Each structure stands twice: as C-alpha cells, then as structure tokens.
Amino acid sequence: MTADVLTVDLDVPYAEIAALLAEHRINAVPVLDDLRRLAGIVTEGDLLRRVEFLGEPADATHLLERPSRRAAREKARAAVARQLMTVPAVTVSPDAAVADAARLMADRNIKQLPVVDRQGRLVGIVARRNLLAVFKRADADIRAEIVESILRRALHLEPDAVTVDVRDGVVTLSGMVRQASKAQIAVRLAEAVTGVTAVLDHIRFELDDERAGRPAGEPGEGSGPLLVVGVDGSDGGREALSWAVAHAADVGGSVLAVAAWHWLEDDLSTTLEVDERQHLSDMLAREVEALPARQRAAVPLRTKTVRGRPAEVLCAESAGAALLVLGRHGHSRARAARAGSVSEECIRRAPCPVVVVPRPHHEPAAAAKAPAGPG
C-alpha cells in the first residue's frame, strides 16, 4: 500500500477535489470525518456525474427513473465532498492477503482500495499498480522464502533434499523426498508465495503414501491419508481448513476438524463447559458449511470439540494422521491460552508432519472473541 495518502475533509468543495486529482494524477481521494476516520471516497466517476448531466435543469425529475440513476443525478448536483463521496467505501485491512485485495478490486471494479485499521482510521491506500508490483519481487527473495518458510519450517526437509530455482517468478522444484504427499504440499505452498507466477514440479519420491492401502479412485475415511486441521473461527483457521480439504480431495483422504479450548482453573464450571462446547460445535458447523459444496461432497469430513490446551489436543488427535494442518493466526477467548505458540509447539511435538499455511490473513474484529485454537 501507499502510506502517505492525500485526503480531504467532508466540506472540501468540488472544484478543489477535481484540482487535487488532476494535480497529483490520482483517480480517487479518501474523505475523513472530524475524528480522522474514513467517511467515504470520492472517485473520478463521482466527479464525472456533473459532466454526465451537464445542461439538464437543476430541478429535472423523471418519474420512471431507476434509483441508481436518480442517485447519480443527485450526485451531479453535489457541491462538497460529503455529497460527492461514495458511501460506504470498500476497504481492506492492513493484514489482508494481496490476492484477497486483488479479488475484491476486480469484483467491485474499483481502482483504489483504502486500507483501514479496526477503529476505521485510514492507514494507507492500495492501487492496482501496488498489486502488480508484488509480481516484480526479486527471484532471490522468492527462493529464500520457499526454502526457509516452506521446505525447512513447514516440511522439515533437509537443505539439500529439494532444489529451488526461480527465474522471472517461475519456480522449479526438483530433488528427492521420502513421501509423495510432501512433494505435493511443497508445490501447493510454493504456488501461494507472493510473486510466484508458476511452479514446475520435478520432485521425485520414494513412497506413494497418498495411495497406500486405498483402491484407486475411491476416497474414503480410513482408506486414505487422514488430515487433522485446527479450526478456531479465525481467517487463519478457515484458510487451514480450506487447504486441508482441497489437499484431501487431491489425495483421496479424509479430514478431521478439531476445535479446542482451555480455561483457567478458577473459570471452570459445568455451565461454562456446556456453553463453550456448544459454541465450538456451532463454529465448526459454520466453517464446514462455508466450504464449497463440491469440496464437502468429495471429502469425508468430521468435526470434534475437545477441552484442553490446544497444542496438546492437536498433537494427540493427530496420532496416526498423515498431516496436521494449522493456520498462521488464531485468537483465544480464554485467558489461559494464547494461540501464537500453538504452531511452534505442534511443530516440536506432533507425531506427524505439520503444515502451517504460510500466507498471512486478516482477523476481523468480530473474530477476536473466537475460541482458543491453533495459531
């Protein structure tokens, strides 16, 4: 994003806004209220409404006019920013993924995307050129992230097991790993790295663990690899669940979605436990229901709620699993648990390989009350 943003107040006149856009060669300007929070945004399109209706009488009305057309006509008569601006402005958080910002701009057909914090204060603005700039990322930086974050930290591979070559954003992975599942995971995670335009998979493997004990083309619980995923209602947990289900569909496996919580001793009560278990069950049901229907139909998926320290619960539940999948961020409602250390503890103690989905995600304010879970 661009942090040094040109802004206007609610009462700045039309002519001054038009002059600012022309002088600075920008196509939109955020409007701030008296508390310096984002109130809206004035775009070139808003200003052009006056040109669109130029020559029409100020009191012109049309009985059969569409509401959107009527609103445009009223904006054409606007004199100051508060009358001109588009409300509410489409915004994004500072922690949103680049892909999410790009998708939002494409879906809404907008060129400028204000970046606001949880209090609604403007912290920057993203333009299309900012999003395109990520694909100019240096090949050396891309390679370093894949080697360090994916091969070493997420998959615990030896430094010389997989060779990473990056040229103009195209990644080539080659080498030898023990399990076919690790090769596929390496490719999937590399594809999500910022700046990567394509991944060429030349990784060989010794054991096809994805098909061991499973008839070809027959995915089913117990007949293919089991993926255990920690879900806590956060964007990180949601991404981990989506990734796990997609991977399970590819390898003919099944998914166990686990939610855990932990309370201090003085917080324990039967009522609290019943309420929390119901809260977790409802949350898991919502997260599963939010998955695409085709994914739910293709993968056997169970949910489970457990009271206990999230890291201990996840390690225990992943005994015998092919993978334990965690999201990058999590939040806890319980004072005794802080999810930031869950992934680190699971990496050290889990009885199976651990994948921490590496892309950062924004956690909405509402999710700050989510139950304790993996980070």
Side-chain angles (χ1 to χ4, degrees):
M1 71 179 185
T2 299
D4 186 15
V5 185
L6 181 69
T7 64
V8 297
D9 296 331
L10 289 164
D11 296 316
V12 173
Y14 176 102
E16 186 174 335
I17 297 174
L20 284 173
L21 266 60
E23 178 184 353
H24 295 274
R25 297 183 179 182
I26 55 178
N27 51 36
V29 61
V31 182
L32 304 185
D33 64 16
D34 295 337
L35 298 177
R36 312 310 294 169
R37 296 173 304 195
L38 184 68
I41 188 168
V42 176
T43 68
E44 287 177 326
D46 295 325
L47 294 174
L48 287 173
R49 293 301 188 188
R50 180 170 294 190
V51 178
E52 181 181 350
F53 292 95
L54 193 65
E56 285 200 10
D59 58 350
T61 58
H62 300 268
L63 294 177
L64 301 180
E65 194 170 45
R66 297 190 307 272
S68 60
R69 185 70 174 172
R70 188 176 303 114
R73 186 183 301 279
E74 292 174 357
K75 188 167 289 191
R77 303 166 185 165
V80 295
R82 70 171 72 243
Q83 300 166 333
L84 279 166
M85 65 186 184
T86 296
V87 180
V90 179
T91 65
V92 70
S93 84
D95 298 324
V98 171
D100 293 337
R103 190 178 302 111
L104 185 59
M105 294 177 74
D107 290 345
R108 300 297 185 92
N109 192 28
I110 54 179
K111 299 178 181 179
Q112 303 278 355
L113 190 60
V115 182
V116 299
D117 62 19
R118 290 186 176 182
Q119 286 70 48
R121 294 187 296 263
L122 184 74
V123 296
I125 196 164
V126 174
R128 290 178 178 176
R129 63 178 179 274
N130 298 123
L131 298 179
L132 292 175
V134 303
F135 290 103
K136 298 178 182 178
R137 189 180 181 193
D139 289 342
D141 293 340
I142 295 173
R143 182 184 183 281
E145 180 174 342
I146 293 173
V147 170
E148 180 67 17
S149 299
I150 296 176
L151 301 183
R152 192 178 75 82
R153 293 184 182 176
L155 297 179
H156 307 288
L157 291 172
E158 295 297 326
D160 58 349
V162 175
T163 300
V164 181
D165 181 65
V166 185
R167 296 185 182 181
D168 298 325
V170 178
V171 177
T172 301
L173 301 177
S174 57
M176 173 72 76
V177 297
R178 172 67 176 164
Q179 300 163 311
S181 59
K182 281 201 172 184
Q184 282 211 1
I185 292 167
V187 173
R188 276 182 170 272
L189 294 181
E191 289 172 340
V193 171
T194 300
V196 171
T197 57
V199 177
L200 304 180
D201 178 15
H202 297 302
I203 303 176
R204 295 171 296 149
F205 50 85
E206 299 175 9
L207 175 65
D208 190 354
D209 58 330
E210 297 176 350
R211 295 188 176 276
R214 174 174 57 85
E218 290 186 17
E221 184 179 341
S223 62
L226 170 67
L227 280 68
V228 175
V229 56
V231 182
D232 64 354
S234 69
D235 282 353
R238 192 168 301 120
E239 181 70 16
L241 177 61
S242 178
W243 189 94
V245 170
H247 185 66
D250 286 345
V251 303
S254 60
V255 172
L256 172 63
V258 178
W261 82 100
H262 180 55
W263 294 95
L264 289 173
E265 288 300 320
D266 58 4
D267 286 332
L268 292 178
S269 72
T270 301
T271 301
L272 274 176
E273 179 170 353
V274 171
D275 290 346
E276 192 64 17
R277 192 176 295 276
Q278 184 61 53
H279 173 83
L280 289 173
S281 297
D282 293 344
M283 180 273 293
L284 283 171
R286 289 193 301 270
E287 297 300 317
V288 170
E289 187 63 28
L291 293 168
R294 63 181 182 276
Q295 284 190 333
R296 297 199 306 270
V299 176
L301 198 159
R302 295 179 295 124
T303 62
K304 187 173 184 178
T305 62
V306 184
R307 194 181 91 185
R309 291 185 61 251
E312 293 179 355
V313 168
L314 291 168
C315 287
E317 293 296 332
S318 61
L323 285 176
L324 172 58
V325 184
L326 305 174
R328 174 63 64 88
H329 297 303
H331 292 277
S332 172
R333 297 204 310 176
R335 291 183 286 119
R338 278 294 165 260
S341 63
V342 171
S343 58
E344 296 177 5
E345 188 172 347
C346 286
I347 288 172
R348 292 195 305 269
R349 299 179 50 197
C352 67
V354 178
V355 170
V356 180
V357 179
R359 185 198 299 173
H361 296 278
H362 168 56
E363 182 71 21
K369 296 182 178 179

